[in-house]
Each structure stands twice: as C-alpha cells, then as structure tokens.
Amino acid sequence: MSTKAYLFDFDGTLIDSMGGFANIAGETIHRFHPEVSYEEARARYLETSGVPFFQQLEIMFPGDPSNGEIARIFEETKIHGFFSESFHDDVVHTISTLRARGHIVGVCSNNFQHLIDEFVEREGLTFDVVLGFREGFEKGKDHFQYVMKKFSLSNEELTFVGDSLKDAEKAMTNNLRFVGICGTFQEEDFRRIHSDLLTIHNIKELLEL
C-alpha cells in the first residue's frame, strides 16, 4: 500500500535546531555533573535524542535529584534559539508539494505543544495536524495512534520521517515505515538499527521516492 500520510519529527528534521540544543544540553549537564565533560555530555544528548529531555536525563542519570533543575534550565534557555530558526525553502517546497499531491502531512514533536503551535503559526506553513508534547501524550505511539484514528489510516499508510535513532526505533516498534534524514546521525548509524532502513540527505528527496 502507498503512503497516504507523512508525519515529520520537528527538531533536526524540519528545522536545524539540534546543534544548538546539544550545545545547551552539554553546557548545562557539565555544570551539574563536572565529572562529565562538555563534549561527552553533548554526545550523550544526541545519542538519546528523540524523547523529551527530562526522559533523556533519566536515561543518562537515573533518579538523580538534579534532573528536574537541569531540564528546567535547558527548556528555558533553548527557547530563544528555537524561535531564531525558520523553515528553509526545501522544507516549504516539500511540505507544500506533498499536500498538493493529496498526502496528509503532520508534525510529531517532543517540544511542548504551545511552542510548536506558535512556531508553525508564525511561519505560515500549513500542516494537516500539529502534535507536540503534553503530559501523557508524546511523540511515538500516542501521536501515531492519534493520527491513524483521526484520518482512518492503517500502519502501512503512515510514514514517519525523523533524524534520530530513537525516531527509527519508535517507528519500528509501532510497525510504521520510516525515513531517516541524515544530519544528526549518518546512514551507517541508522543501518545499525536495521540494515534496510531508508535514509535521505535532503528532505526534497522524499518527492522522488
């Protein structure tokens, strides 16, 4: 069956925010955990990306009492950099073309819902559904099932597009097609998740698949 709907991760997939986020995470984690170098903290942030930051901290430092404060500082600090980004022309062209071809196109992010809504509204790019994080409703199964129910889709009709290894794992766990955008991770990284994972280097390549 052909893809009827494309669901896109946001950070690192639709906007180039992951580098800045990794810098903030590296600095903040190192401040609270000086035994972890900035470089290592930054790398560990990227390795665990694809889930909310407070969950990343629990993966890195299970049960650590400083996790809540680190997450608070990170979320407050990242906002300026987040809103300094915009959709590149390739993204605007790809999203608009997919919708013009009759595809359902949505956003699936672990950024807070109000941040994603504000960003998308400011940019003026139309999506059929925009999903962000709220308690009990996050990127992955929650978002996938919501979209499939809302648009009466089967698993085979929904393709998830993301830039992280966690994105690939979420798609595979939920029996969805996945396309990895190289940047945060490279083709060989995705292939370690599964040898047959499809990867692209520019979002425009989706139009040629």
Side-chain angles (χ1 to χ4, degrees), residues 17-33 36-46 48 53 56-57 60-61 70-71 73-75 77-78:
S17 53
M18 287 301 291
F21 286 177
N23 294 342
I24 296 168
E27 292 167 359
T28 309
I29 291 170
H30 176 62
R31 187 193 319 170
F32 283 81
H33 296 278
V36 181
S37 69
Y38 163 78
E39 292 78 13
E40 181 183 354
R42 190 182 189 280
R44 290 171 70 179
Y45 169 82
L46 291 173
T48 57
F53 184 61
Q56 291 181 255
L57 290 171
M60 291 183 270
F61 311 102
I70 296 174
I73 294 171
F74 172 84
E75 295 295 346
T77 307
K78 80 175 189 181

Side-chain angles (χ1 to χ4, degrees), residues 93 101 142 152 185:
H93 173 71
R101 291 178 178 178
D142 297 334
S152 300
F185 295 93

Side-chain angles (χ1 to χ4, degrees), residues 8-9 11 30 50 79 91 118 146 166:
F8 289 87
D9 168 58
D11 295 296
H30 176 62
I79 291 177
V91 171
E118 184 176 345
Y146 176 89
K166 292 289 186 184

